[in-house]
DNA sequence: GCAAGGTC
């Protein structure tokens, strides 16, 4: 009887693997905080344990803050990321379960990162078990797939995939950490105050895309064009119509159309009708959920992701970090819909779907994910959700139900009218079958436009025709949703990291605003990188890393060779950078100074009206407060600040008194938005208690 | 203190 240890990527997967493989009962053996399951299958006694994503991370071998650093090693992740403090005890638990085992099996997600996660666990937490470990390969976490993966597991780990994964980690570390340090070193050596600067394979090309868009906007020359709008009178009704040729590029042409047609009689020259079938929207992958929540609620993608992760931990929705738009039948559609039916918000809709008599078959999208289905509700009763949590949940629940509903159908009628040699078009749209749009309301909208019934040859009087001058618009700024779509299109980052990387760009002060603009500092970093490290701002680096990973995976290259040749290439660049560091940092130091100045400027002084309010730290007491830059010319305005927490300036103004608002973070879970006016009416009555 | 990637 063999004692087998199966290593999964995350706790939820470990539980599924355990229950899928068990022939008898499953026993929890890991204690309260650590998931581990004991079961038997055939002659084997199996223990299933779980990693927690990456339990090991790269760190430099040397100590100190010099660069360039090329000598790196894998360490327990709690050594380098204090948010992963749990990892230490977690690894110990895995080691304990490994002691009694004589066979080891990797059952992490069947992708590069998953293969590497299991490899590191087996190698470091299971005393070199990677050498003899086997690999289960599966594409879904269904019982059927997992049993097949167990029965047909390969006799060794996928060594070249693991090597490709290690190469990706090492390349990202070496480029990212060293270039970030180079920027910071150069900046401080040029006399700047200490400031965190960063660069990386994903964040820098993303910033560069925003920077290029900014330049496109600045360099845009508006070209004039004219739009001709008309109101046509057909069958005794006035309907809006547009010029059939679209926009017109000269004023004389526009004037000609208006002169010829305004008030003139014409004729209906063609009527065509068709039915437009509008299928339900596809189920949510994380990116689509993020963009839909941005569209309807204005939530930045990182906020949607955090809310979705919370809903997942509360077992209300499925795993949100998925790129799948598929809902496999094994989810149990009816069970989920019946669960939703217990919620009175969805009772009517869910019941209708279950009892419609039509088979439950969802619309599905093209995108897939090896490890997870599309984001969907679990059917557990969602109660007492906060407003924002509810909105995201509601969107997910309704999107799920909509996927099972009928297609919507519209009747579209195009009416072409001729007025001399000029043609105009009017379009009518009527909803024949609402279908899924009822289930997705209020997030769905089917446009309608009524047209009277007409036939060819009917009179059509152009009751009014006018032209309007317009100018071509510059390309639009990215917003938080479109920049993430850009990253996805360009293959930058993953579904789990894109939103976080955009957040990093904000946190560094490289970008600002909802319609994203590059700050002076962001532009300065791009200019510096382009001069000294052009490769890092180009998405070509990602293409190259992908190509190298493919070569390693295919056995055509070895990780060590790739690393040695890459380091050889970049070593020289770093040496050149160090020798020129002073010059490289000059521009940056100025920009960092300006940024810090901006960061502590609260706004115009409400007292003297000429000075600016700033966050000031008293040299005498060490305490911080808000004071006016006009102090030397006599303005004595001050306002107190809390001495604890991180204070940042916001663009908000108090709704009651119009004074600036500062944000205080790090005192409990919420951001404290504080009006700086001590006499503000919002502060009357209940004062704010100490805690937060 | 720095990347990008996984996870609760």
């Amino acid at each position: 009887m063999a004692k087998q240890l199966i290593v999964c990527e995350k706790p939820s997967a470990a539980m599924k693997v355990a229950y899928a493989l068990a022939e008898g009962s499953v026993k929890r053996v890991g204690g309260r905080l650590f998931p581990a399951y004991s079961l038997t299958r055939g002659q084997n006694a199996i223990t299933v344990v779980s990693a927690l994503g990456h339990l090991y991370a790269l760190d430099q071998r040397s100590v100190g803050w010099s660069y360039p650093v090329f000598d790196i090693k894998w360490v327990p992740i709690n050594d380098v990321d204090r948010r992963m403090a749990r990892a230490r005890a977690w690894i110990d638990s895995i080691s304990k379960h490994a002691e009694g085992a004589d066979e080891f099996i990797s059952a992490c997600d069947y992708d590069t990162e998953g293969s590497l996660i299991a490899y590191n666990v087996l190698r470091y937490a299971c005393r070199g078990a990677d050498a003899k470990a086997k690999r289960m390969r599966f594409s879904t976490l269904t019982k059927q797939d997992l049993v097949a993966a167990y029965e047909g597991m390969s006799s060794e780990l996928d060594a070249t995939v693991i090597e490709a994964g290690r190469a990706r980690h090492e390349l990202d570390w070496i480029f990212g950490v060293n270039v970030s340090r180079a920027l910071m070193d150069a900046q401080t050596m040029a006399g700047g105050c200490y400031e965190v600067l960063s660069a990386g394979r994903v964040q820098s090309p993303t910033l560069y895309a925003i920077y290029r868009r900014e330049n496109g906007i600045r360099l845009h020359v508006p070209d004039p064009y004219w739009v001709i709008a008309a109101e046509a009178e057909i069958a005794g009704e006035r309907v809006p119509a547009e010029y059939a040729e679209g926009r017109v590029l000269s004023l004389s042409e526009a004037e000609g159309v208006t002169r010829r047609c305004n008030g003139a009689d014409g004729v209906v020259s063609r009527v065509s009708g068709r039915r437009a079938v509008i299928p339900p929207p596809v189920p949510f992958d994380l990116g689509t959920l993020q963009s839909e929540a941005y569209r309807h609620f204005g939530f930045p993608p990182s906020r949607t992701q955090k809310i979705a992760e919370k809903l997942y931990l509360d077992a209300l929705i499925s795993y949100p970090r998925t790129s799948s738009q598929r809902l496999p039948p094994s989810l149990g559609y009816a069970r989920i819909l019946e669960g939703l039916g217990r919620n009175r918000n969805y009772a009517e809709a869910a019941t209708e779907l279950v009892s419609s008599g039509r088979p439950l078959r969802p619309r599905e999208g093209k995108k897939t994910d090896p490890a997870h289905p599309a984001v969907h509700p679990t059917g557990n009763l969602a109660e007492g959700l906060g407003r924002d949590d509810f909105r995201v949940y509601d969107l997910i629940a309704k999107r799920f139900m909509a996927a099972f509903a009928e297609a919507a159908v519209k009747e579209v009628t195009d009416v072409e009218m001729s007025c001399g040699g000029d043609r105009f078009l009017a379009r009518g749209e009527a909803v024949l079958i609402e279908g899924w749009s009822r289930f997705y309301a209020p997030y769905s909208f089917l446009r309608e436009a009524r047209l009277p019934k007409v036939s060819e040859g009917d009179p059509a009087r152009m009751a009014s025709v006018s032209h309007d001058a317009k100018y071509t618009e510059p390309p639009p700024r990215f917003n938080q949703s479109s920049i993430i779509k850009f990253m996805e299109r360009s293959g930058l980052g993953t579904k789990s990291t894109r939103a976080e990387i955009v957040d990093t760009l904000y946190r560094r002060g490289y970008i600002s605003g909802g319609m994203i603009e590059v700050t002076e500092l962001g532009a300065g970093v791009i200019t510096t990188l382009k001069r000294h490290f052009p490769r890092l701002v180009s998405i070509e680096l990602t293409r190259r890393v992908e190509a190298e990973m493919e070569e390693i995976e295919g056995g055509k290259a070895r990780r060590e060779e790739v690393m040695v040749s890459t380091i050889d290439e970049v070593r020289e660049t770093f040496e050149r950078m160090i020798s020129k560091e002073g010059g490289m940092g000059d521009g940056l130091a100025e920009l960092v100074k300006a940024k810090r100045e901006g960061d502590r400027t609260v706004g115009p002084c409400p007292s003297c009206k000429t000075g600016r309010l700033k966050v000031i730290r008293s040299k005498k007491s060490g305490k911080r407060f808000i004071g006016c830059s006009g102090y030397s010319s006599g303005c004595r305005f001050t306002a107190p600040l809390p001495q604890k927490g991180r204070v940042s300036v916001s663009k908000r103004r108090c709704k009651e008194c119009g004074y600036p608002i500062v944000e205080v973070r790090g005192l409990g879970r919420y951001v404290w938005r504080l009006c700086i006016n001590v006499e503000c009416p919002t502060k009357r009555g209940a004062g704010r208690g100490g805690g937060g």
Side-chain angles (χ1 to χ4, degrees):
Chain A
M1 188 152 176
K3 290 180 184 163
Q4 298 180 321
L5 186 81
I6 299 182
V7 178
C8 297
E9 182 157 328
K10 47 186 164 276
S12 61
M15 189 168 80
K16 284 188 177 154
V17 168
Y19 282 92
L21 298 185
E23 284 172 339
S25 61
V26 174
K27 210 169 110 197
R28 262 204 77 143
V29 292
R32 206 168 53 84
L33 294 176
F34 179 72
Y37 303 89
S38 165
L39 55 116
T40 60
R41 181 177 184 83
Q43 291 303 302
N44 299 321
I46 301 174
T47 304
V48 183
V49 296
S50 166
L52 201 56
H54 281 292
L55 288 172
Y56 295 85
L58 288 170
D59 192 18
Q60 61 186 40
R61 224 177 264 281
S62 56
V63 287
W65 190 243
S66 66
Y67 87 94
V69 179
F70 299 119
D71 198 10
I72 50 184
K73 59 177 177 182
W74 290 92
V75 299
I77 198 167
N78 49 288
D79 283 5
V80 290
D81 184 353
R82 59 190 169 83
R83 287 167 309 172
M84 287 295 287
R86 289 173 296 168
R88 191 197 161 95
W90 202 279
I91 290 169
D92 286 346
S93 298
I94 295 176
S95 298
K96 211 176 75 208
H97 286 285
E99 276 170 23
D102 40 48
E103 284 182 20
F104 294 84
I105 300 159
S106 157
C108 285
D109 292 356
Y110 188 44
D111 54 29
T112 310
E113 294 298 328
S115 298
L116 180 59
I117 287 167
Y119 167 80
N120 280 331
V121 165
L122 292 162
R123 179 170 175 192
Y124 298 115
C126 306
R127 289 176 307 170
D130 57 295
K132 53 182 172 179
K134 299 175 178 180
R135 174 67 155 132
M136 281 170 59
R137 302 152 191 254
F138 46 85
S139 56
T140 67
L141 290 165
T142 57
K143 178 165 180 146
Q144 192 187 357
D145 256 29
L146 290 169
V147 168
Y150 179 82
E151 304 289 352
M153 70 178 112
S154 54
S155 60
E156 53 189 31
L157 296 184
D158 23 26
T160 59
V161 177
I162 293 164
E163 285 297 281
R166 291 179 68 186
R168 205 279 304 149
H169 278 256
E170 292 177 5
L171 288 168
D172 278 345
W173 197 98
I174 283 174
F175 280 113
V177 171
N178 284 314
V179 177
S180 297
R181 286 184 186 179
L183 290 172
M184 286 185 273
D185 261 30
Q187 196 278 130
T188 39
M189 273 164 62
C193 357
Y194 168 74
E195 180 78 17
V196 177
L197 299 173
S198 64
R201 175 178 58 84
V202 178
Q203 65 170 262
S204 298
T206 303
L207 178 61
Y208 186 48
I210 298 168
Y211 169 92
R212 276 199 322 257
R213 180 64 58 92
E214 191 82 30
N215 282 347
I217 292 167
R218 273 193 207 136
L219 296 176
H220 175 76
V221 181
D223 282 323
Y225 65 92
W226 286 264
V227 172
I228 296 165
E231 257 193 343
E233 204 176 289
I234 45 176
E237 279 184 46
R238 283 197 174 196
V239 297
E242 58 190 41
Y243 193 52
E245 312 298 330
R247 57 173 67 171
V248 162
L249 298 179
S250 82
L251 176 60
S252 59
E253 194 184 342
E255 285 174 339
V257 176
T258 303
R259 194 178 54 242
R260 287 194 298 274
C261 301
N262 189 23
D265 286 325
V267 64
V268 172
S269 47
R270 195 162 57 87
V271 179
S272 63
R274 63 191 164 89
R275 296 223 158 163
V277 175
I278 306 151
V282 298
F284 278 138
D285 62 289
L286 177 62
T288 314
L289 168 64
Q290 285 170 319
S291 88
E292 195 76 344
Y294 179 81
R295 190 157 79 95
H296 294 292
F297 316 133
F299 288 177
S302 55
R303 182 150 156 219
T304 301
Q305 187 163 336
K306 279 190 193 113
I307 292 173
E309 280 164 6
K310 191 167 142 225
L311 293 170
Y312 163 69
L313 293 176
D314 290 343
L316 295 175
I317 64 166
S318 63
Y319 190 73
R321 291 190 290 262
T322 175
S323 54
S324 170
Q325 299 172 330
R326 305 281 174 91
L327 295 168
S330 56
L331 298 176
Y333 306 142
R335 186 190 53 78
I336 297 173
L337 287 168
E338 278 154 19
L340 286 176
R342 283 192 289 277
N343 186 327
R344 60 194 160 81
N345 291 317
Y346 313 121
E348 201 179 314
T351 311
E352 186 179 332
L353 288 172
V354 174
S355 55
S356 69
R358 296 189 312 124
L360 285 175
R361 194 177 305 137
R363 162 100 198 274
E364 295 187 297
K366 282 188 191 145
K367 292 172 65 184
T368 62
D369 187 297
H372 309 281
V375 185
H376 62 274
T378 56
N380 290 345
L381 192 57
E383 284 176 311
L385 293 179
R387 187 177 126 99
D388 289 353
D389 296 3
F390 172 76
R391 288 166 124 182
V392 173
Y393 180 78
D394 192 53
L395 195 59
I396 292 168
K398 287 178 172 166
R399 183 85 164 202
F400 177 77
M401 291 192 289
F404 291 90
E406 284 181 280
V409 180
K410 272 191 197 177
E411 174 79 37
V412 179
T413 312
D414 285 318
V415 174
E416 187 192 88
M417 293 157 285
S418 293
C419 176
D422 297 302
R423 289 177 308 129
F424 293 83
L425 290 175
R427 167 167 288 187
E429 291 180 84
V431 174
L432 300 179
I433 301 173
E434 284 183 298
W436 59 268
S437 72
R438 268 191 311 120
F439 293 85
Y440 199 42
Y443 312 114
S444 49
F445 179 69
L446 297 176
R447 206 178 79 89
E448 289 202 78
R450 225 194 62 78
L451 278 190
K453 260 202 139 21
V454 288
S455 358
E456 256 182 67
D458 285 358
R461 198 175 73 86
M462 306 317 292
S464 85
V465 175
S466 60
H467 55 272
D468 200 9
K470 306 251 181 186
Y471 291 89
T472 54
E473 295 280 336
R477 288 215 152 80
F478 285 110
N479 58 39
Q480 294 204 36
S481 173
S482 62
I483 190 63
I484 284 190
K485 281 187 194 151
F486 166 83
M487 293 171 79
E488 194 173 347
R489 261 202 322 277
S490 313
L492 292 171
T494 71
K495 58 198 181 268
S496 312
T497 61
R498 287 178 195 121
E500 203 180 310
I501 285 169
V502 172
D503 265 10
T504 299
L505 295 176
Y506 278 103
R507 217 169 39 246
R508 299 269 179 271
Y510 292 172
I511 60 177
S512 70
M515 302 301 286
I516 305 176
E517 292 180 48
V518 176
T519 62
E520 299 275 322
L521 178 60
V525 166
I526 286 294
T527 314
T528 309
L529 289 175
K530 267 177 78 92
R531 187 173 312 141
H532 297 275
F533 223 100
R535 184 189 293 166
L536 205 62
V537 302
S538 159
I539 60 168
E540 292 313 310
L541 182 57
T542 286
R543 296 292 99 80
R544 183 174 150 179
V545 169
E546 280 167 355
E548 275 161 353
M549 286 174 72
E550 215 165 284
E551 295 234 306
I552 295 171
E553 205 173 313
K556 290 184 203 131
R558 285 168 48 82
R559 175 179 56 85
E560 292 86 346
E561 293 161 6
V562 169
M563 294 313 300
V564 165
S565 68
T566 304
I567 289 168
D568 272 353
E569 259 180 75
V570 296
R571 192 189 294 277
E572 208 181 301
T573 312
F574 281 116
E575 273 154 18
R576 208 169 48 236
M577 281 165 95
I578 292 172
S579 67
K580 286 189 190 168
E581 224 168 36
M584 169 179 152
D586 280 350
L588 286 178
E590 290 298 312
L591 296 169
V592 165
K593 256 179 219 146
K595 172 193 173 277
R596 292 174 79 102
E597 199 53 33
D599 282 352
R600 66 188 196 95
T601 303
V602 179
C605 176
S607 170
C608 69
K609 318 279 184 201
T610 52
R612 301 189 75 73
L613 298 184
K614 289 183 186 300
V615 175
I616 297 168
R617 194 169 277 281
S618 157
K619 282 191 185 119
K620 214 154 127 197
S621 66
K623 292 194 169 169
R624 63 187 176 198
F625 64 100
I626 288 172
C628 180
S629 62
Y631 182 82
S632 53
S633 24
C635 180
R636 291 294 176 266
F637 181 94
T638 62
L641 281 175
Q643 298 303 316
K644 285 185 180 167
R646 301 186 304 278
V647 168
S648 61
V649 170
S650 75
K651 281 186 181 159
R652 294 165 194 259
R653 288 285 173 269
C654 178
K655 281 186 193 134
E656 288 288 334
C657 65
Y659 273 51
I661 302 265
V662 295
E663 296 175 339
V664 188
R665 289 183 175 76
L667 301 172
R669 283 178 64 194
Y670 298 98
V671 180
W672 177 19
R673 299 206 163 84
L674 172 70
C675 170
I676 67 162
N677 179 6
V678 282
E679 280 158 18
C680 177
T682 56
K683 292 181 184 159
R684 225 172 278 143
R688 183 182 169 282

